[in-house]
Amino acid sequence: MTLTNALESRLGYQLRRASAVMMADLSRELADLDLRPAEVTTLLVIAENPDCSQTEVGQTLAIKRANMVPIISRLMERDLVERRRLDGRSHALSLTDAGRTVAADAQARIDRHEARFLELLGTKDVAMLFRCLPAIRAAREAEADI
Amino acid sequence: MTLTNALESRLGYQLRRASAVMMADLSRELADLDLRPAEVTTLLVIAENPDCSQTEVGQTLAIKRANMVPIISRLMERDLVERRRLDGRSHALSLTDAGRTVAADAQARIDRHEARFLELLGTKDVAMLFRCLPAIRAAREAEADI
DNA sequence: GCCCATTGCTATCCCCGATAGCTGTCCATA
DNA sequence: TATGGACAGCTATCGGGGATAGCAATGGGC
């Protein structure tokens, strides 16, 4: 690591590296739930929004419709999520009792995970991050559809 | 997008989403170079550090030795990078003339890409990001080896 | 009633990263 | 000086996440 690296002064690079570190930590924290991060976030969104549809979850989490399919399938196989036909096209998603239990567990794990990182930062910095990061995200609203 | 999403108040989630947006933008900007982001960053690190080794680049960019191999191979196939045997184990990497040209082009593209996002943020916010993001990254130094 | 948008889905691709384990080389030291 | 361990590069393979193209069935507006 004796090399110079001008990328260190690039926002995109820093975001990517920092995000990768947190993702790796999250994965470790979630490891023995046997759920991927994307499955957990899906579970939590459904927990918050009973009777939502698959595409709504996808829009919320920026996951394409096509990529939602295996996520929901796996959550249903595991009996964490169930769905009820709404009309010929859409389903209303909700958690099973087991799903609620796992969701609560996952929440606790995410809390611990987040706490580990938040304690490194001042409250002012944290506030700034929660202002800046969504601003960065919003930059793309004008172009992409997701 | 009418759903509530408690993940919005999670640092890891915000980092991931913001990073994804910037990566997508970068990919578009680099598209007609026909180089993946990982290849471009490798190219730039070699440009800055002539005669560095493959594992050094990997350590700098947090890319495992095994995953550096196809990156370097492709850069050499494209005649952007050349290497000279140092001893029986290691090579000294450097850019070809073509590599220098492409690296300069890539730099310009990254500059434009970065500028698009930096202009959304105040200089104070940017300074804070360049303080906080490395701090988040450093949180893992005690555990992982990379 | 018809056309178009929407929902869920299949199939397939790409990028990035991780792991395990191999070969050949070097270097320290016993 | 012989040897064991560290190191560089490499192979093979897996996993996670995301993208695209296109299909079938359905719903709703005109």
Side-chain angles (χ1 to χ4, degrees):
Chain A
M1 236 253 272
T2 145
L3 303 188
T4 65
N5 182 7
L7 292 166
E8 293 288 341
S9 63
R10 301 314 188 130
L11 181 55
Y13 179 78
Q14 290 290 352
L15 270 179
R16 201 161 144 54
R17 294 286 303 264
S19 164
V21 166
M22 286 200 69
M23 272 298 281
D25 185 78
L26 178 63
S27 292
R28 275 199 308 121
E29 186 71 53
L30 296 177
D32 51 71
L33 280 187
D34 191 26
L35 289 174
R36 299 181 250 268
E39 289 163 353
V40 171
T41 55
T42 297
L43 197 71
L44 295 181
V45 167
I46 297 173
E48 269 189 278
N49 301 275
D51 290 345
C52 61
S53 78
Q54 209 161 307
T55 43
E56 281 174 324
V57 177
Q59 285 166 348
T60 303
L61 294 173
I63 297 174
K64 304 248 185 240
R65 251 173 335 148
N67 296 327
M68 281 302 304
V69 177
I71 295 175
I72 297 293
S73 299
R74 186 130 179 282
L75 292 174
M76 288 181 58
E77 266 170 35
R78 306 261 315 256
D79 281 315
L80 303 176
V81 163
E82 59 194 358
R83 68 185 182 185
R84 179 171 51 84
R85 194 126 211 135
L86 268 191
D87 55 36
R89 289 179 297 186
S90 53
H91 308 276
L93 300 169
S94 58
L95 297 194
T96 63
D97 287 340
R100 268 179 287 272
T101 304
V102 171
D105 188 354
Q107 268 295 1
R109 287 164 192 270
I110 292 177
D111 288 344
R112 268 179 278 153
H113 154 72
E114 283 275 316
R116 276 198 289 278
F117 288 89
L118 288 178
E119 77 185 2
L120 302 172
L121 305 166
T123 60
K124 248 184 138 168
D125 289 348
V126 171
M128 185 113 61
L129 285 168
F130 279 106
R131 203 161 34 75
C132 291
L133 297 178
I136 290 170
R137 243 213 276 169
R140 160 247 40 178
E141 309 261 275
E143 16 157 337
D145 31 305
I146 292 201
Chain B
M1 238 255 271
T2 146
L3 303 188
T4 65
N5 182 6
L7 291 167
E8 293 288 342
S9 63
R10 301 317 190 128
L11 181 56
Y13 179 79
Q14 290 290 354
L15 271 179
R16 204 163 141 53
R17 294 285 304 263
S19 164
V21 166
M22 287 201 68
M23 272 298 281
D25 185 78
L26 178 63
S27 292
R28 273 198 308 120
E29 186 72 51
L30 296 176
D32 51 71
L33 280 187
D34 191 26
L35 288 174
R36 299 180 250 268
E39 289 163 353
V40 171
T41 56
T42 297
L43 197 71
L44 295 182
V45 168
I46 297 173
E48 268 188 279
N49 301 274
D51 291 345
C52 61
S53 78
Q54 210 162 305
T55 44
E56 282 174 323
V57 177
Q59 286 166 348
T60 302
L61 294 174
I63 297 174
K64 304 248 186 241
R65 253 176 18 232
N67 296 327
M68 282 302 304
V69 177
I71 295 176
I72 297 293
S73 299
R74 185 132 180 282
L75 291 175
M76 287 180 58
E77 266 170 34
R78 306 261 317 256
D79 282 314
L80 303 177
V81 164
E82 58 193 359
R83 67 186 183 185
R84 177 172 51 84
R85 193 125 212 136
L86 268 191
D87 56 35
R89 290 179 296 185
S90 51
H91 308 275
L93 300 169
S94 57
L95 297 194
T96 62
D97 287 338
R100 268 180 286 273
T101 305
V102 171
D105 188 354
Q107 269 295 0
R109 287 163 192 269
I110 292 178
D111 288 344
R112 268 178 279 154
H113 153 74
E114 284 276 315
R116 276 199 288 278
F117 288 89
L118 288 178
E119 76 185 3
L120 302 172
L121 306 167
T123 60
K124 248 183 137 170
D125 289 349
V126 171
M128 183 276 307
L129 285 168
F130 280 105
R131 202 162 33 75
C132 291
L133 296 178
I136 290 169
R137 241 212 278 170
R140 160 246 40 177
E141 309 261 274
E143 15 157 337
D145 31 304
I146 293 203

